[in-house]
Amino acid sequence: MPHNAATMCQLLGMNCNTPTDVTFSFSGFAQRGGRTDHHADGWGIAFFEGRGLRHFVDHQPAFSSPVAELIRRYPIKSRSVIAHIRKATQGEIALENCHPFVRELWGRYWVFAHNGDLKDFQPRLHASFRPVGSTDSERAFCWLMQEIWKSHAGVPSVAELTLTLRELAPQIARHGPFNFLLSNGEALWAHCSTNLFHVERRHPFAHAQLADEDLSIDFARHTTPQDRVAVVVTAPLTTNEAWTQFQPGELRVFVDGVAAG
Amino acid sequence: MPHNAATMCQLLGMNCNTPTDVTFSFSGFAQRGGRTDHHADGWGIAFFEGRGLRHFVDHQPAFSSPVAELIRRYPIKSRSVIAHIRKATQGEIALENCHPFVRELWGRYWVFAHNGDLKDFQPRLHASFRPVGSTDSERAFCWLMQEIWKSHAGVPSVAELTLTLRELAPQIARHGPFNFLLSNGEALWAHCSTNLFHVERRHPFAHAQLADEDLSIDFARHTTPQDRVAVVVTAPLTTNEAWTQFQPGELRVFVDGVAAG
């Protein structure tokens, strides 16, 4: 279904209860990034492994990128993944403008990707988070990190941070579409302005295997009956699953592969 | 020459005046990381492209790492590179403990790698830089970033930052060997406690091509007579070049491929 450019997968988030062997086949994803689609302005993916983070960005189109080639073949074992394909709206096509962006706070890495276009968003950045590139998205991320830092003395609980984000997100969203994914490795927060869908998936994954021209995710081998995986995307990836569409202005959080709020 | 474990290349830094096509052949580097050597506890490399940064770390031995395989084939075009192979002295073998480490300050990425072993280094970290992992190295990096942040109101000139680092480095070095490389993309700072060498290389690179079992760097195709490259390593990579050994306690900075102080 989502095989036209308008519903192109721009944001993808995954949150699992066990480090899950996933493979991004990139069969369609890589093709679309620059060849059959207009989303040719860079892409990126970040995945947590414990407290550590692997972060891959590329301003080359995904279909010709050696890094995409790596990801395609790489056996990712992660509980938390955020991926993004960029269509430049603000900020030139450059490596420093590729999502997801990463910052450290309270001894954790924080990862952020955004789909949308913020107009006249020039917040006062008075703390230690400054954009390196020139996108509205990185500016929004820096402001979010600053306000999170001001609101808490240390890493807050997932529930507390969810409340904080529900106060902060609308302040940015009034500047334009602000669909975003945020993770600190412990949880995945997703905010919708316009287009965002999620599904929760359980063992066995065979039936429900994601299959799309844009992106396929193969839940490989060693899954157990306890395995839970939540997937959040700009547009549904399958036709045979119950994807739930976010409401405009809705913010949800996923922990251990399950919607937690 | 440096083909025994004791002189194994643990730190490698490069600073060039033009984005230079370099290829890490990894022929020996990858072999040594875990197979013929004891430096099997992870490795990493970061290279600037403009203000943007590519950052690859892996706690798998380099010889079996798919990421090393990528780097081996990847046409890196960079003015500033820092690489590291890790032999764990402090901190478990985990992704978050692999060098180089990255932080953002004043809208720039800062990259740091360390060779050495700091005893009883538990500085007061009261600013916004906290270690994610458990190494003495990341602790030292966070303290350096904090003190740099306290010493300057914004990105200082290379000369100013060099003076600041010459004040800060000895305060850490009294805790143990503190060979480190630091870059913000604009310059490469190198501090020696025990083992560090540098060489400045100019067009044509053919004669002086680095060739070592640990690591070879091929200065590919399009070099011009203006090209300058400075290389800093734990142990010399060639026998036919005039490598300069750092003095213990010496801190040098390289800009545009040339020693600037």
Side-chain angles (χ1 to χ4, degrees):
Chain A
M1 31 161 312
H3 291 163
N4 58 70
T7 57
M8 166 68 188
C9 170
Q10 292 157 321
L11 287 176
L12 172 95
M14 280 214 321
N15 170 268
C16 322
N17 65 339
T18 358
T20 302
D21 242 337
V22 291
T23 309
F24 287 78
S25 88
F26 269 86
S27 54
F29 186 78
Q31 295 301 315
R32 291 228 158 187
R35 202 145 81 184
T36 63
D37 201 299
H38 62 283
H39 292 90
D41 303 336
W43 60 277
I45 184 168
F47 40 107
F48 283 90
E49 287 184 29
R51 297 171 72 92
L53 185 75
R54 295 183 192 275
H55 179 227
F56 300 94
V57 282
D58 209 337
H59 54 305
Q60 296 181 55
F63 81 85
S64 61
S65 156
V67 188
E69 170 67 18
L70 167 78
I71 303 293
R72 197 163 64 78
R73 299 186 305 149
Y74 197 84
I76 300 173
K77 241 193 187 322
S78 177
R79 293 183 51 203
S80 212
V81 179
I82 290 181
H84 183 268
I85 300 187
R86 179 165 188 250
K87 173 74 186 82
T89 48
Q90 295 183 34
E92 58 176 343
I93 299 168
L95 188 61
E96 65 268 27
N97 287 337
C98 293
H99 311 217
F101 302 102
V102 182
R103 292 293 185 276
E104 174 265 315
L105 175 60
W106 298 312
R108 297 277 184 95
Y109 293 121
W110 301 73
V111 174
F112 174 89
H114 167 224
N115 157 241
D117 188 15
L118 306 172
K119 301 294 186 198
D120 304 317
F121 181 65
Q122 301 290 347
R124 195 169 150 253
L125 297 175
H126 51 83
S128 306
F129 306 96
R130 302 291 162 90
V132 174
S134 52
T135 61
D136 52 339
S137 308
E138 194 185 11
R139 236 168 14 245
F141 179 39
C142 288
W143 184 80
L144 274 183
M145 292 307 294
Q146 165 181 297
E147 299 303 310
I148 289 171
W149 169 75
K150 283 160 61 181
S151 304
H152 304 276
V155 182
S157 71
V158 169
E160 283 173 329
L161 189 52
T162 302
L163 291 177
T164 304
L165 287 170
R166 283 194 175 127
E167 285 175 15
L168 298 175
Q171 301 179 48
I172 300 180
R174 77 168 67 110
H175 292 270
F178 189 50
N179 307 294
F180 77 76
L181 299 176
L182 174 74
S183 180
N184 64 357
E186 190 186 352
L188 174 70
W189 288 270
H191 178 264
C192 172
S193 283
T194 51
N195 290 307
L196 212 54
F197 294 80
H198 68 98
V199 73
E200 288 168 39
R201 321 183 67 246
R202 307 188 167 209
H203 182 86
F205 294 110
H207 164 71
Q209 181 170 324
L210 300 181
D212 185 271
E213 269 194 62
D214 290 338
L215 174 66
S216 24
I217 304 170
D218 304 316
F219 294 90
R221 300 144 266 179
H222 318 291
T223 57
T224 74
Q226 287 72 45
D227 288 359
R228 302 280 180 277
V229 179
V231 180
V232 184
V233 287
T234 301
L237 296 166
T238 52
T239 50
N240 65 340
E241 289 181 289
W243 290 88
T244 306
Q245 182 159 19
F246 283 67
Q247 298 300 312
E250 189 177 14
L251 185 135
R252 282 176 173 266
V253 57
F254 302 86
V255 179
D256 291 335
V258 175
Chain B
M1 30 160 315
H3 291 162
N4 58 70
T7 58
M8 167 68 187
C9 170
Q10 292 157 318
L11 287 176
L12 172 94
M14 280 212 323
N15 171 270
C16 321
N17 65 339
T18 359
T20 302
D21 242 336
V22 291
T23 309
F24 288 77
S25 88
F26 269 84
S27 53
F29 185 77
Q31 295 301 316
R32 292 228 156 188
R35 201 145 83 185
T36 64
D37 202 297
H38 62 284
H39 292 91
D41 303 335
W43 61 277
I45 184 168
F47 40 105
F48 283 90
E49 287 185 29
R51 298 172 72 92
L53 184 75
R54 294 183 194 275
H55 179 228
F56 300 93
V57 282
D58 210 336
H59 55 306
Q60 297 180 55
F63 82 84
S64 61
S65 156
V67 189
E69 170 67 19
L70 167 79
I71 303 293
R72 195 165 65 78
R73 299 185 305 149
Y74 197 84
I76 300 173
K77 241 194 186 321
S78 177
R79 293 183 52 200
S80 213
V81 179
I82 290 181
H84 183 269
I85 300 187
R86 178 164 188 250
K87 173 73 187 82
T89 48
Q90 296 182 33
E92 57 176 344
I93 298 168
L95 188 60
E96 65 267 28
N97 288 336
C98 292
H99 311 218
F101 302 101
V102 182
R103 291 295 184 277
E104 174 265 315
L105 175 60
W106 298 312
R108 297 279 184 94
Y109 294 122
W110 300 73
V111 174
F112 174 89
H114 166 224
N115 159 242
D117 188 16
L118 306 172
K119 300 294 184 196
D120 305 317
F121 181 66
Q122 300 290 349
R124 195 170 151 253
L125 296 175
H126 51 82
S128 306
F129 305 97
R130 302 290 161 91
V132 174
S134 52
T135 61
D136 52 337
S137 308
E138 194 185 10
R139 231 163 23 240
F141 178 38
C142 288
W143 185 81
L144 274 183
M145 292 307 295
Q146 165 181 298
E147 299 302 310
I148 289 170
W149 169 74
K150 283 159 63 180
S151 304
H152 303 277
V155 182
S157 72
V158 169
E160 283 173 329
L161 188 52
T162 303
L163 291 177
T164 303
L165 287 170
R166 283 194 174 128
E167 285 175 15
L168 298 176
Q171 301 179 50
I172 301 181
R174 76 167 70 110
H175 292 271
F178 189 50
N179 307 293
F180 78 77
L181 300 176
L182 174 74
S183 179
N184 63 357
E186 189 186 352
L188 174 70
W189 288 271
H191 178 264
C192 172
S193 283
T194 51
N195 290 307
L196 213 54
F197 294 80
H198 68 98
V199 72
E200 288 168 38
R201 322 184 65 247
R202 305 189 168 209
H203 182 87
F205 294 107
H207 165 71
Q209 181 169 326
L210 301 182
D212 185 271
E213 269 194 63
D214 290 338
L215 174 68
S216 23
I217 303 170
D218 304 317
F219 294 91
R221 301 144 266 179
H222 318 290
T223 56
T224 74
Q226 286 72 45
D227 288 358
R228 303 280 180 276
V229 179
V231 180
V232 184
V233 287
T234 301
L237 296 165
T238 52
T239 51
N240 66 340
E241 290 181 288
W243 291 88
T244 305
Q245 184 160 19
F246 283 67
Q247 298 299 311
E250 189 177 13
L251 185 136
R252 282 175 174 268
V253 58
F254 301 87
V255 179
D256 291 335
V258 175

